[in-house]
Amino acid sequence: FDAKRQQQLRGSAAGRETGLFGVPELSCPEGFQEAQDKALQESEQLVQKACSTPPGPETVMIFDQLSDGLCRVADLADFVKIAHPDFAFREAAEEACRNIGTMVEKLNTDVELCQSLRRLLADEIVMSSLDPETRRVAELFMFDFEISGIHLDEEKREKAVNLNVKILDLCNEFLTGTHLPNKIDKHVLPEHIRYNFTAEGNYLQVAGLHADCPDDLVREAAYKIFLYPNAEQLSRLEELLASRNSLAQLVGYDTFAHRALQGTMAKNPETVRQFLEKLSDQLSKRTQKDFEMMTKMKMKLNPQNSKLMPWDHPYYSGVLRAERYNIDPGLYCPFFSLGACMEGLNSLFSQLLGISLYAEQTQRGEVWSEDVRKLAVVHETEGLLGYIYCDFFQRPDKPHQDCHFTVRGGRLRENGEYQLPVVVLMLSLPHSTRGAPTLLSPGMMENLFHEMGHAMHSMLGRTRYQHVTGTRCATDFAEVPSILMEYFANDYRVVNQFARHYKTGQPLPKNMVSRLCQSKKVCAAADMQLQVFYAALDQIYHGEHPLKKSTTEILKETQEKFYGLPYVPNT
């Protein structure tokens, strides 16, 4: 980024001390308790205010303030509990998430609070005087009450709150369990592949699927060991699914899927089922062709064992792409330095939206790792729109997932000022080396564009109420702006503006861009078929209960019906 722009925004910020994201309390883990207590105290005052305010636009404003005060702590804690390098911070954030989550569930079943909103919705004269946005937000708050069981008697409402808290805990435990490595006696594996795994005494640790490894045996071993059944995880999953089903039925839905899909574009499980089956039917012939191509490639490279297995799909589809279009990532990386990609995004946003990104100096204590960068998002006529914290680089204990977190939603404050949105983009990019800057593979570049799509959605979805700001929209619409950005990342007219060789400054040749775009169509049906299988499995798990078979038997059946590669026993 341009040093002058950085200088302009730097000012004298560096000398002052603050806490995470500029929240003074969060300079130490204990600060989460303080932030949480403050939010809970404020929420009690706002509940009393809501209950004593006559029906009108102010009711909706108070509800939104209430939601904002709790979300500001919960959303921030949601990010810190998975990304902070310090365990004490992660633990304190986890505790704050749980406590605020419990408070939210209690408020969603607070009869008196709900009555104040009901009075507004029932008052036709007042309702007709509200603007469409205020009306919609009032209806959405009512919807939250309804799906939480506000209509139940006191005993059942309490049961709903307890189920919600139990579900939150089970979710956390289950997700933590999915990342844990599995250990195996090293003598079980052939000596020549052991070096691929971390040794621990007589054991080897398998911490992932090694999907990109060229050795078929390493991928097979990783798949069978990493996905080996874990009794605790299985019982957590069964308990989680049963609890979600109990909650859904308690508050009046047939299944959890019905409850989760209400308010989305898809609307109900039946629409989703028809969509997935229709899509699967249309994909099946193309998927078969893709699997045949992969099988041929496997036969060519490994004639002894040419049966295509689930651990082969990601690897051989990559080999086919690379071979057919000569798109070895090593050829592309030098043209996609992180600096060039960020300049590309800056130029694209400037042309499309009149927006520029400026690097801004952070205060001491504001960020959780020294390589996190803060960007100010500035519009040519409207000025500062918000902040993006870029947590882009690998570090020990950092989850390997690319994602976007809302830390604070935008809204119009009571004093007429706009509360600026704050988001984090998390990627796992390699650090720069002495001889070269951080270089991105085409896939990493596309992910960067995708996540930036979410960030821009957060910056530009400027609403009066934080309850519907940015990515707080129907869950199946939230991916539209980010997927749209992937199309820009795959268009020569865009890529040509920024892809430059980091040593020579030479632009990326046009035929290399077209080869890259063409290669994305290779095995696209099989890749989509895998997603259809995941989606179908999700629908069945959250459909009618009790489930007719164990979760693993359902996985086996669904995999055979919707995917086409054989289920591997004991996974």
Side-chain angles (χ1 to χ4, degrees), residues 49-51 53-65 113 116-118 120 126 134 138 141 465:
K49 193 174 168 187
C51 294
T53 301
E58 201 191 344
T59 310
V60 182
M61 225 159 99
I62 296 167
F63 266 81
D64 194 61
Q65 245 181 298
L113 184 61
S116 68
L117 188 63
R118 249 198 200 119
L120 169 67
V126 176
T134 305
F141 277 122
Y465 302 104

mmCIF file with all atom_site columns, all heavy atoms in Angstrom, residues 49-51 53-65 113 116-118 120 126 134 138 141 465:
data_model
loop_
_atom_site.group_PDB
_atom_site.id
_atom_site.type_symbol
_atom_site.label_atom_id
_atom_site.label_alt_id
_atom_site.label_comp_id
_atom_site.label_asym_id
_atom_site.label_entity_id
_atom_site.label_seq_id
_atom_site.pdbx_PDB_ins_code
_atom_site.Cartn_x
_atom_site.Cartn_y
_atom_site.Cartn_z
_atom_site.occupancy
_atom_site.B_iso_or_equiv
_atom_site.pdbx_formal_charge
_atom_site.auth_seq_id
_atom_site.auth_comp_id
_atom_site.auth_asym_id
_atom_site.auth_atom_id
_atom_site.pdbx_PDB_model_num
ATOM 1   N N   . LYS A 1 49  ? -36.883 -0.156  29.906 1.00 0.00 ? 49  LYS A N   1
ATOM 2   C CA  . LYS A 1 49  ? -37.274 0.979   29.057 1.00 0.00 ? 49  LYS A CA  1
ATOM 3   C C   . LYS A 1 49  ? -38.257 0.507   27.974 1.00 0.00 ? 49  LYS A C   1
ATOM 4   O O   . LYS A 1 49  ? -39.273 1.161   27.710 1.00 0.00 ? 49  LYS A O   1
ATOM 5   C CB  . LYS A 1 49  ? -36.016 1.581   28.426 1.00 0.00 ? 49  LYS A CB  1
ATOM 6   C CG  . LYS A 1 49  ? -36.230 2.929   27.771 1.00 0.00 ? 49  LYS A CG  1
ATOM 7   C CD  . LYS A 1 49  ? -34.880 3.511   27.311 1.00 0.00 ? 49  LYS A CD  1
ATOM 8   C CE  . LYS A 1 49  ? -35.082 4.713   26.410 1.00 0.00 ? 49  LYS A CE  1
ATOM 9   N NZ  . LYS A 1 49  ? -33.807 5.186   25.828 1.00 0.00 ? 49  LYS A NZ  1
ATOM 10  N N   . ALA A 1 50  ? -37.951 -0.651  27.359 1.00 0.00 ? 50  ALA A N   1
ATOM 11  C CA  . ALA A 1 50  ? -38.820 -1.174  26.290 1.00 0.00 ? 50  ALA A CA  1
ATOM 12  C C   . ALA A 1 50  ? -40.221 -1.450  26.836 1.00 0.00 ? 50  ALA A C   1
ATOM 13  O O   . ALA A 1 50  ? -41.231 -1.171  26.175 1.00 0.00 ? 50  ALA A O   1
ATOM 14  C CB  . ALA A 1 50  ? -38.220 -2.447  25.702 1.00 0.00 ? 50  ALA A CB  1
ATOM 15  N N   . CYS A 1 51  ? -40.264 -2.011  28.047 1.00 0.00 ? 51  CYS A N   1
ATOM 16  C CA  . CYS A 1 51  ? -41.557 -2.413  28.615 1.00 0.00 ? 51  CYS A CA  1
ATOM 17  C C   . CYS A 1 51  ? -42.401 -1.195  29.012 1.00 0.00 ? 51  CYS A C   1
ATOM 18  O O   . CYS A 1 51  ? -43.625 -1.298  29.107 1.00 0.00 ? 51  CYS A O   1
ATOM 19  C CB  . CYS A 1 51  ? -41.349 -3.323  29.819 1.00 0.00 ? 51  CYS A CB  1
ATOM 20  S SG  . CYS A 1 51  ? -40.601 -4.893  29.328 1.00 0.00 ? 51  CYS A SG  1
ATOM 21  N N   . THR A 1 53  ? -42.213 1.884   27.386 1.00 0.00 ? 53  THR A N   1
ATOM 22  C CA  . THR A 1 53  ? -42.347 2.852   26.289 1.00 0.00 ? 53  THR A CA  1
ATOM 23  C C   . THR A 1 53  ? -43.633 2.584   25.498 1.00 0.00 ? 53  THR A C   1
ATOM 24  O O   . THR A 1 53  ? -43.901 1.445   25.138 1.00 0.00 ? 53  THR A O   1
ATOM 25  C CB  . THR A 1 53  ? -41.124 2.736   25.335 1.00 0.00 ? 53  THR A CB  1
ATOM 26  O OG1 . THR A 1 53  ? -39.947 2.993   26.089 1.00 0.00 ? 53  THR A OG1 1
ATOM 27  C CG2 . THR A 1 53  ? -41.195 3.718   24.184 1.00 0.00 ? 53  THR A CG2 1
ATOM 28  N N   . PRO A 1 54  ? -44.429 3.637   25.218 1.00 0.00 ? 54  PRO A N   1
ATOM 29  C CA  . PRO A 1 54  ? -45.645 3.408   24.412 1.00 0.00 ? 54  PRO A CA  1
ATOM 30  C C   . PRO A 1 54  ? -45.275 2.954   22.993 1.00 0.00 ? 54  PRO A C   1
ATOM 31  O O   . PRO A 1 54  ? -44.194 3.302   22.499 1.00 0.00 ? 54  PRO A O   1
ATOM 32  C CB  . PRO A 1 54  ? -46.334 4.781   24.393 1.00 0.00 ? 54  PRO A CB  1
ATOM 33  C CG  . PRO A 1 54  ? -45.310 5.759   24.858 1.00 0.00 ? 54  PRO A CG  1
ATOM 34  C CD  . PRO A 1 54  ? -44.280 5.026   25.651 1.00 0.00 ? 54  PRO A CD  1
ATOM 35  N N   . PRO A 1 55  ? -46.156 2.152   22.336 1.00 0.00 ? 55  PRO A N   1
ATOM 36  C CA  . PRO A 1 55  ? -45.825 1.601   21.016 1.00 0.00 ? 55  PRO A CA  1
ATOM 37  C C   . PRO A 1 55  ? -45.488 2.705   20.017 1.00 0.00 ? 55  PRO A C   1
ATOM 38  O O   . PRO A 1 55  ? -46.201 3.709   19.926 1.00 0.00 ? 55  PRO A O   1
ATOM 39  C CB  . PRO A 1 55  ? -47.102 0.879   20.578 1.00 0.00 ? 55  PRO A CB  1
ATOM 40  C CG  . PRO A 1 55  ? -47.979 0.808   21.773 1.00 0.00 ? 55  PRO A CG  1
ATOM 41  C CD  . PRO A 1 55  ? -47.507 1.790   22.769 1.00 0.00 ? 55  PRO A CD  1
ATOM 42  N N   . GLY A 1 56  ? -44.384 2.516   19.279 1.00 0.00 ? 56  GLY A N   1
ATOM 43  C CA  . GLY A 1 56  ? -43.957 3.505   18.287 1.00 0.00 ? 56  GLY A CA  1
ATOM 44  C C   . GLY A 1 56  ? -42.580 3.137   17.767 1.00 0.00 ? 56  GLY A C   1
ATOM 45  O O   . GLY A 1 56  ? -42.009 2.116   18.187 1.00 0.00 ? 56  GLY A O   1
ATOM 46  N N   . PRO A 1 57  ? -42.003 3.970   16.881 1.00 0.00 ? 57  PRO A N   1
ATOM 47  C CA  . PRO A 1 57  ? -40.682 3.638   16.314 1.00 0.00 ? 57  PRO A CA  1
ATOM 48  C C   . PRO A 1 57  ? -39.608 3.478   17.398 1.00 0.00 ? 57  PRO A C   1
ATOM 49  O O   . PRO A 1 57  ? -38.639 2.743   17.220 1.00 0.00 ? 57  PRO A O   1
ATOM 50  C CB  . PRO A 1 57  ? -40.373 4.808   15.387 1.00 0.00 ? 57  PRO A CB  1
ATOM 51  C CG  . PRO A 1 57  ? -41.370 5.874   15.683 1.00 0.00 ? 57  PRO A CG  1
ATOM 52  C CD  . PRO A 1 57  ? -42.545 5.223   16.322 1.00 0.00 ? 57  PRO A CD  1
ATOM 53  N N   . GLU A 1 58  ? -39.808 4.175   18.543 1.00 0.00 ? 58  GLU A N   1
ATOM 54  C CA  . GLU A 1 58  ? -38.797 4.086   19.609 1.00 0.00 ? 58  GLU A CA  1
ATOM 55  C C   . GLU A 1 58  ? -38.677 2.657   20.147 1.00 0.00 ? 58  GLU A C   1
ATOM 56  O O   . GLU A 1 58  ? -37.596 2.212   20.541 1.00 0.00 ? 58  GLU A O   1
ATOM 57  C CB  . GLU A 1 58  ? -39.112 5.071   20.745 1.00 0.00 ? 58  GLU A CB  1
ATOM 58  C CG  . GLU A 1 58  ? -37.848 5.356   21.558 1.00 0.00 ? 58  GLU A CG  1
ATOM 59  C CD  . GLU A 1 58  ? -38.081 6.113   22.851 1.00 0.00 ? 58  GLU A CD  1
ATOM 60  O OE1 . GLU A 1 58  ? -39.180 6.709   23.019 1.00 0.00 ? 58  GLU A OE1 1
ATOM 61  O OE2 . GLU A 1 58  ? -37.180 6.097   23.691 1.00 0.00 ? 58  GLU A OE2 1
ATOM 62  N N   . THR A 1 59  ? -39.801 1.919   20.136 1.00 0.00 ? 59  THR A N   1
ATOM 63  C CA  . THR A 1 59  ? -39.770 0.524   20.614 1.00 0.00 ? 59  THR A CA  1
ATOM 64  C C   . THR A 1 59  ? -38.734 -0.274  19.810 1.00 0.00 ? 59  THR A C   1
ATOM 65  O O   . THR A 1 59  ? -37.911 -0.995  20.364 1.00 0.00 ? 59  THR A O   1
ATOM 66  C CB  . THR A 1 59  ? -41.169 -0.130  20.431 1.00 0.00 ? 59  THR A CB  1
ATOM 67  O OG1 . THR A 1 59  ? -42.154 0.742   20.993 1.00 0.00 ? 59  THR A OG1 1
ATOM 68  C CG2 . THR A 1 59  ? -41.233 -1.492  21.088 1.00 0.00 ? 59  THR A CG2 1
ATOM 69  N N   . VAL A 1 60  ? -38.790 -0.107  18.488 1.00 0.00 ? 60  VAL A N   1
ATOM 70  C CA  . VAL A 1 60  ? -37.883 -0.862  17.614 1.00 0.00 ? 60  VAL A CA  1
ATOM 71  C C   . VAL A 1 60  ? -36.439 -0.426  17.858 1.00 0.00 ? 60  VAL A C   1
ATOM 72  O O   . VAL A 1 60  ? -35.513 -1.237  17.873 1.00 0.00 ? 60  VAL A O   1
ATOM 73  C CB  . VAL A 1 60  ? -38.267 -0.681  16.124 1.00 0.00 ? 60  VAL A CB  1
ATOM 74  C CG1 . VAL A 1 60  ? -37.351 -1.498  15.211 1.00 0.00 ? 60  VAL A CG1 1
ATOM 75  C CG2 . VAL A 1 60  ? -39.720 -1.095  15.900 1.00 0.00 ? 60  VAL A CG2 1
ATOM 76  N N   . MET A 1 61  ? -36.256 0.888   18.094 1.00 0.00 ? 61  MET A N   1
ATOM 77  C CA  . MET A 1 61  ? -34.913 1.402   18.344 1.00 0.00 ? 61  MET A CA  1
ATOM 78  C C   . MET A 1 61  ? -34.340 0.804   19.639 1.00 0.00 ? 61  MET A C   1
ATOM 79  O O   . MET A 1 61  ? -33.163 0.434   19.691 1.00 0.00 ? 61  MET A O   1
ATOM 80  C CB  . MET A 1 61  ? -34.955 2.925   18.438 1.00 0.00 ? 61  MET A CB  1
ATOM 81  C CG  . MET A 1 61  ? -33.842 3.580   17.666 1.00 0.00 ? 61  MET A CG  1
ATOM 82  S SD  . MET A 1 61  ? -34.244 5.293   17.288 1.00 0.00 ? 61  MET A SD  1
ATOM 83  C CE  . MET A 1 61  ? -33.330 6.104   18.577 1.00 0.00 ? 61  MET A CE  1
ATOM 84  N N   . ILE A 1 62  ? -35.172 0.701   20.662 1.00 0.00 ? 62  ILE A N   1
ATOM 85  C CA  . ILE A 1 62  ? -34.696 0.152   21.940 1.00 0.00 ? 62  ILE A CA  1
ATOM 86  C C   . ILE A 1 62  ? -34.329 -1.326  21.759 1.00 0.00 ? 62  ILE A C   1
ATOM 87  O O   . ILE A 1 62  ? -33.283 -1.790  22.245 1.00 0.00 ? 62  ILE A O   1
ATOM 88  C CB  . ILE A 1 62  ? -35.762 0.321   23.054 1.00 0.00 ? 62  ILE A CB  1
ATOM 89  C CG1 . ILE A 1 62  ? -36.004 1.814   23.330 1.00 0.00 ? 62  ILE A CG1 1
ATOM 90  C CG2 . ILE A 1 62  ? -35.327 -0.391  24.333 1.00 0.00 ? 62  ILE A CG2 1
ATOM 91  C CD1 . ILE A 1 62  ? -37.239 2.104   24.167 1.00 0.00 ? 62  ILE A CD1 1
ATOM 92  N N   . PHE A 1 63  ? -35.173 -2.070  21.035 1.00 0.00 ? 63  PHE A N   1
ATOM 93  C CA  . PHE A 1 63  ? -34.876 -3.484  20.774 1.00 0.00 ? 63  PHE A CA  1
ATOM 94  C C   . PHE A 1 63  ? -33.536 -3.625  20.043 1.00 0.00 ? 63  PHE A C   1
ATOM 95  O O   . PHE A 1 63  ? -32.732 -4.495  20.349 1.00 0.00 ? 63  PHE A O   1
ATOM 96  C CB  . PHE A 1 63  ? -35.991 -4.114  19.934 1.00 0.00 ? 63  PHE A CB  1
ATOM 97  C CG  . PHE A 1 63  ? -37.042 -4.793  20.756 1.00 0.00 ? 63  PHE A CG  1
ATOM 98  C CD1 . PHE A 1 63  ? -38.066 -4.070  21.349 1.00 0.00 ? 63  PHE A CD1 1
ATOM 99  C CD2 . PHE A 1 63  ? -37.001 -6.160  20.964 1.00 0.00 ? 63  PHE A CD2 1
ATOM 100 C CE1 . PHE A 1 63  ? -39.034 -4.694  22.131 1.00 0.00 ? 63  PHE A CE1 1
ATOM 101 C CE2 . PHE A 1 63  ? -37.970 -6.797  21.737 1.00 0.00 ? 63  PHE A CE2 1
ATOM 102 C CZ  . PHE A 1 63  ? -38.987 -6.061  22.325 1.00 0.00 ? 63  PHE A CZ  1
ATOM 103 N N   . ASP A 1 64  ? -33.311 -2.737  19.079 1.00 0.00 ? 64  ASP A N   1
ATOM 104 C CA  . ASP A 1 64  ? -32.076 -2.819  18.301 1.00 0.00 ? 64  ASP A CA  1
ATOM 105 C C   . ASP A 1 64  ? -30.858 -2.464  19.158 1.00 0.00 ? 64  ASP A C   1
ATOM 106 O O   . ASP A 1 64  ? -29.799 -3.077  19.032 1.00 0.00 ? 64  ASP A O   1
ATOM 107 C CB  . ASP A 1 64  ? -32.157 -1.906  17.073 1.00 0.00 ? 64  ASP A CB  1
ATOM 108 C CG  . ASP A 1 64  ? -31.065 -2.221  16.071 1.00 0.00 ? 64  ASP A CG  1
ATOM 109 O OD1 . ASP A 1 64  ? -31.033 -3.364  15.555 1.00 0.00 ? 64  ASP A OD1 1
ATOM 110 O OD2 . ASP A 1 64  ? -30.204 -1.355  15.816 1.00 0.00 ? 64  ASP A OD2 1
ATOM 111 N N   . GLN A 1 65  ? -31.049 -1.484  20.052 1.00 0.00 ? 65  GLN A N   1
ATOM 112 C CA  . GLN A 1 65  ? -29.975 -1.114  20.992 1.00 0.00 ? 65  GLN A CA  1
ATOM 113 C C   . GLN A 1 65  ? -29.626 -2.300  21.891 1.00 0.00 ? 65  GLN A C   1
ATOM 114 O O   . GLN A 1 65  ? -28.460 -2.570  22.167 1.00 0.00 ? 65  GLN A O   1
ATOM 115 C CB  . GLN A 1 65  ? -30.480 0.024   21.884 1.00 0.00 ? 65  GLN A CB  1
ATOM 116 C CG  . GLN A 1 65  ? -29.752 1.333   21.712 1.00 0.00 ? 65  GLN A CG  1
ATOM 117 C CD  . GLN A 1 65  ? -30.347 2.356   22.682 1.00 0.00 ? 65  GLN A CD  1
ATOM 118 O OE1 . GLN A 1 65  ? -31.538 2.687   22.597 1.00 0.00 ? 65  GLN A OE1 1
ATOM 119 N NE2 . GLN A 1 65  ? -29.543 2.843   23.604 1.00 0.00 ? 65  GLN A NE2 1
ATOM 120 N N   . LEU A 1 113 ? -41.261 -8.493  27.793 1.00 0.00 ? 113 LEU A N   1
ATOM 121 C CA  . LEU A 1 113 ? -40.534 -7.829  26.701 1.00 0.00 ? 113 LEU A CA  1
ATOM 122 C C   . LEU A 1 113 ? -41.262 -8.065  25.374 1.00 0.00 ? 113 LEU A C   1
ATOM 123 O O   . LEU A 1 113 ? -41.445 -7.152  24.564 1.00 0.00 ? 113 LEU A O   1
ATOM 124 C CB  . LEU A 1 113 ? -39.100 -8.378  26.639 1.00 0.00 ? 113 LEU A CB  1
ATOM 125 C CG  . LEU A 1 113 ? -38.154 -7.744  25.621 1.00 0.00 ? 113 LEU A CG  1
ATOM 126 C CD1 . LEU A 1 113 ? -37.949 -6.261  25.904 1.00 0.00 ? 113 LEU A CD1 1
ATOM 127 C CD2 . LEU A 1 113 ? -36.800 -8.455  25.609 1.00 0.00 ? 113 LEU A CD2 1
ATOM 128 N N   . SER A 1 116 ? -44.364 -5.885  24.816 1.00 0.00 ? 116 SER A N   1
ATOM 129 C CA  . SER A 1 116 ? -44.146 -4.493  24.373 1.00 0.00 ? 116 SER A CA  1
ATOM 130 C C   . SER A 1 116 ? -44.049 -4.441  22.839 1.00 0.00 ? 116 SER A C   1
ATOM 131 O O   . SER A 1 116 ? -44.490 -3.481  22.221 1.00 0.00 ? 116 SER A O   1
ATOM 132 C CB  . SER A 1 116 ? -42.891 -3.907  25.026 1.00 0.00 ? 116 SER A CB  1
ATOM 133 O OG  . SER A 1 116 ? -41.741 -4.554  24.521 1.00 0.00 ? 116 SER A OG  1
ATOM 134 N N   . LEU A 1 117 ? -43.476 -5.496  22.250 1.00 0.00 ? 117 LEU A N   1
ATOM 135 C CA  . LEU A 1 117 ? -43.378 -5.544  20.781 1.00 0.00 ? 117 LEU A CA  1
ATOM 136 C C   . LEU A 1 117 ? -44.736 -5.908  20.172 1.00 0.00 ? 117 LEU A C   1
ATOM 137 O O   . LEU A 1 117 ? -45.142 -5.368  19.141 1.00 0.00 ? 117 LEU A O   1
ATOM 138 C CB  . LEU A 1 117 ? -42.310 -6.572  20.372 1.00 0.00 ? 117 LEU A CB  1
ATOM 139 C CG  . LEU A 1 117 ? -41.939 -6.624  18.900 1.00 0.00 ? 117 LEU A CG  1
ATOM 140 C CD1 . LEU A 1 117 ? -41.310 -5.304  18.451 1.00 0.00 ? 117 LEU A CD1 1
ATOM 141 C CD2 . LEU A 1 117 ? -40.953 -7.757  18.624 1.00 0.00 ? 117 LEU A CD2 1
ATOM 142 N N   . ARG A 1 118 ? -45.446 -6.811  20.864 1.00 0.00 ? 118 ARG A N   1
ATOM 143 C CA  . ARG A 1 118 ? -46.774 -7.227  20.375 1.00 0.00 ? 118 ARG A CA  1
ATOM 144 C C   . ARG A 1 118 ? -47.734 -6.040  20.305 1.00 0.00 ? 118 ARG A C   1
ATOM 145 O O   . ARG A 1 118 ? -48.500 -5.912  19.369 1.00 0.00 ? 118 ARG A O   1
ATOM 146 C CB  . ARG A 1 118 ? -47.359 -8.295  21.315 1.00 0.00 ? 118 ARG A CB  1
ATOM 147 C CG  . ARG A 1 118 ? -47.418 -9.599  20.636 1.00 0.00 ? 118 ARG A CG  1
ATOM 148 C CD  . ARG A 1 118 ? -48.295 -10.642 21.196 1.00 0.00 ? 118 ARG A CD  1
ATOM 149 N NE  . ARG A 1 118 ? -47.773 -11.890 20.627 1.00 0.00 ? 118 ARG A NE  1
ATOM 150 C CZ  . ARG A 1 118 ? -47.299 -12.876 21.345 1.00 0.00 ? 118 ARG A CZ  1
ATOM 151 N NH1 . ARG A 1 118 ? -47.287 -12.803 22.651 1.00 0.00 ? 118 ARG A NH1 1
ATOM 152 N NH2 . ARG A 1 118 ? -46.845 -13.960 20.766 1.00 0.00 ? 118 ARG A NH2 1
ATOM 153 N N   . LEU A 1 120 ? -46.994 -3.031  19.766 1.00 0.00 ? 120 LEU A N   1
ATOM 154 C CA  . LEU A 1 120 ? -46.658 -2.230  18.579 1.00 0.00 ? 120 LEU A CA  1
ATOM 155 C C   . LEU A 1 120 ? -47.220 -2.886  17.312 1.00 0.00 ? 120 LEU A C   1
ATOM 156 O O   . LEU A 1 120 ? -47.881 -2.240  16.505 1.00 0.00 ? 120 LEU A O   1
ATOM 157 C CB  . LEU A 1 120 ? -45.132 -2.080  18.469 1.00 0.00 ? 120 LEU A CB  1
ATOM 158 C CG  . LEU A 1 120 ? -44.610 -1.492  17.153 1.00 0.00 ? 120 LEU A CG  1
ATOM 159 C CD1 . LEU A 1 120 ? -45.031 -0.033  17.000 1.00 0.00 ? 120 LEU A CD1 1
ATOM 160 C CD2 . LEU A 1 120 ? -43.097 -1.605  17.047 1.00 0.00 ? 120 LEU A CD2 1
ATOM 161 N N   . VAL A 1 126 ? -50.253 2.933   14.281 1.00 0.00 ? 126 VAL A N   1
ATOM 162 C CA  . VAL A 1 126 ? -48.812 3.183   14.455 1.00 0.00 ? 126 VAL A CA  1
ATOM 163 C C   . VAL A 1 126 ? -48.023 2.413   13.390 1.00 0.00 ? 126 VAL A C   1
ATOM 164 O O   . VAL A 1 126 ? -47.109 2.960   12.767 1.00 0.00 ? 126 VAL A O   1
ATOM 165 C CB  . VAL A 1 126 ? -48.334 2.784   15.880 1.00 0.00 ? 126 VAL A CB  1
ATOM 166 C CG1 . VAL A 1 126 ? -46.823 2.959   16.005 1.00 0.00 ? 126 VAL A CG1 1
ATOM 167 C CG2 . VAL A 1 126 ? -49.045 3.636   16.930 1.00 0.00 ? 126 VAL A CG2 1
ATOM 168 N N   . THR A 1 134 ? -38.269 -0.123  9.415  1.00 0.00 ? 134 THR A N   1
ATOM 169 C CA  . THR A 1 134 ? -38.622 -0.260  10.834 1.00 0.00 ? 134 THR A CA  1
ATOM 170 C C   . THR A 1 134 ? -39.665 -1.363  11.015 1.00 0.00 ? 134 THR A C   1
ATOM 171 O O   . THR A 1 134 ? -39.580 -2.173  11.935 1.00 0.00 ? 134 THR A O   1
ATOM 172 C CB  . THR A 1 134 ? -39.135 1.095   11.385 1.00 0.00 ? 134 THR A CB  1
ATOM 173 O OG1 . THR A 1 134 ? -38.131 2.086   11.133 1.00 0.00 ? 134 THR A OG1 1
ATOM 174 C CG2 . THR A 1 134 ? -39.408 1.028   12.871 1.00 0.00 ? 134 THR A CG2 1
ATOM 175 N N   . ALA A 1 138 ? -39.132 -4.848  13.169 1.00 0.00 ? 138 ALA A N   1
ATOM 176 C CA  . ALA A 1 138 ? -40.065 -5.211  14.246 1.00 0.00 ? 138 ALA A CA  1
ATOM 177 C C   . ALA A 1 138 ? -40.569 -6.644  14.037 1.00 0.00 ? 138 ALA A C   1
ATOM 178 O O   . ALA A 1 138 ? -40.614 -7.460  14.972 1.00 0.00 ? 138 ALA A O   1
ATOM 179 C CB  . ALA A 1 138 ? -41.241 -4.236  14.270 1.00 0.00 ? 138 ALA A CB  1
ATOM 180 N N   . PHE A 1 141 ? -37.786 -9.188  14.875 1.00 0.00 ? 141 PHE A N   1
ATOM 181 C CA  . PHE A 1 141 ? -37.623 -9.403  16.325 1.00 0.00 ? 141 PHE A CA  1
ATOM 182 C C   . PHE A 1 141 ? -38.738 -10.317 16.844 1.00 0.00 ? 141 PHE A C   1
ATOM 183 O O   . PHE A 1 141 ? -38.505 -11.189 17.679 1.00 0.00 ? 141 PHE A O   1
ATOM 184 C CB  . PHE A 1 141 ? -37.609 -8.063  17.080 1.00 0.00 ? 141 PHE A CB  1
ATOM 185 C CG  . PHE A 1 141 ? -36.257 -7.385  17.085 1.00 0.00 ? 141 PHE A CG  1
ATOM 186 C CD1 . PHE A 1 141 ? -36.101 -6.105  16.572 1.00 0.00 ? 141 PHE A CD1 1
ATOM 187 C CD2 . PHE A 1 141 ? -35.141 -8.028  17.611 1.00 0.00 ? 141 PHE A CD2 1
ATOM 188 C CE1 . PHE A 1 141 ? -34.849 -5.480  16.573 1.00 0.00 ? 141 PHE A CE1 1
ATOM 189 C CE2 . PHE A 1 141 ? -33.893 -7.400  17.621 1.00 0.00 ? 141 PHE A CE2 1
ATOM 190 C CZ  . PHE A 1 141 ? -33.741 -6.126  17.096 1.00 0.00 ? 141 PHE A CZ  1
ATOM 191 N N   . TYR A 1 465 ? -30.667 -0.106  11.394 1.00 0.00 ? 465 TYR A N   1
ATOM 192 C CA  . TYR A 1 465 ? -30.669 -1.042  12.532 1.00 0.00 ? 465 TYR A CA  1
ATOM 193 C C   . TYR A 1 465 ? -29.565 -2.090  12.365 1.00 0.00 ? 465 TYR A C   1
ATOM 194 O O   . TYR A 1 465 ? -29.427 -2.670  11.279 1.00 0.00 ? 465 TYR A O   1
ATOM 195 C CB  . TYR A 1 465 ? -32.032 -1.741  12.614 1.00 0.00 ? 465 TYR A CB  1
ATOM 196 C CG  . TYR A 1 465 ? -33.170 -0.766  12.752 1.00 0.00 ? 465 TYR A CG  1
ATOM 197 C CD1 . TYR A 1 465 ? -33.997 -0.466  11.673 1.00 0.00 ? 465 TYR A CD1 1
ATOM 198 C CD2 . TYR A 1 465 ? -33.402 -0.121  13.966 1.00 0.00 ? 465 TYR A CD2 1
ATOM 199 C CE1 . TYR A 1 465 ? -35.042 0.444   11.796 1.00 0.00 ? 465 TYR A CE1 1
ATOM 200 C CE2 . TYR A 1 465 ? -34.446 0.785   14.095 1.00 0.00 ? 465 TYR A CE2 1
ATOM 201 C CZ  . TYR A 1 465 ? -35.259 1.072   13.018 1.00 0.00 ? 465 TYR A CZ  1
ATOM 202 O OH  . TYR A 1 465 ? -36.270 1.987   13.141 1.00 0.00 ? 465 TYR A OH  1
#
